[in-house]
Amino acid sequence: MSVLFQYLEMEDAIFYPNIPGREGLIHIRLQQRNGRKTLTTVQGLSTDFDLKKIVKACKKEFACNGTVVEHPEYGEVIQLQGDQRNNIKDFLKKVNLAKDEQLKVHGF
């Protein structure tokens, strides 16, 4: 078992791919901060998953900082430093948290 699965404890997502809440779109966006600094946000992940564990694994995998913030309209949103759009898309597919058709990458 890989280190990512140890952090995410996502055996259920692999062996039971029809978990409720995995049908909606997951939006991955890039937000400009100041100067050259950017934030990558991930919105739409199911609340069945522990987002803090996902962020912990992403931080280790991508060598960036990240957090989970509460948005009044969108619920819990993952924020990662830098342009991590392709990395997070590949990561979510690799650990079987989302299918390719569920992921919507915005920007450039």
Side-chain angles (χ1 to χ4, degrees):
M1 184 173 286
S2 75
V3 174
L4 296 176
F5 292 122
Q6 182 181 9
Y7 280 114
L8 296 176
E9 301 176 59
M10 293 311 306
E11 295 88 7
D12 292 339
I14 294 168
F15 298 118
Y16 306 107
N18 295 325
I19 293 176
R22 294 187 61 197
E23 302 84 24
L25 278 179
I26 298 170
H27 297 277
I28 303 171
R29 294 185 174 91
L30 188 68
Q31 290 182 347
Q32 188 72 36
R33 284 180 46 218
N34 47 2
R36 294 175 47 199
K37 307 290 184 184
T38 57
L39 274 180
T40 301
T41 60
V42 181
Q43 172 235 322
L45 281 172
S46 173
T47 55
D48 298 337
F49 302 126
D50 187 355
L51 297 184
K52 291 186 189 268
K53 288 187 179 183
I54 295 172
V55 167
K56 185 174 180 179
C58 288
K59 287 167 57 172
K60 191 168 190 144
E61 180 86 5
F62 310 148
C64 69
N65 201 4
T67 187
V68 177
V69 295
E70 183 67 33
H71 191 276
E73 185 178 344
Y74 303 125
E76 289 186 322
V77 176
I78 294 176
Q79 288 184 342
L80 298 169
Q81 285 184 345
D83 186 359
Q84 306 295 339
R85 291 175 296 177
N86 292 327
N87 292 337
I88 191 70
K89 179 181 177 185
D90 295 340
F91 176 80
L92 291 174
K93 288 192 298 188
K94 182 170 77 173
V95 296
N96 203 17
L97 290 177
K99 301 177 199 128
D100 193 35
E101 58 269 8
Q102 288 178 285
L103 298 170
K104 175 76 173 147
V105 179
H106 300 274
F108 316 146

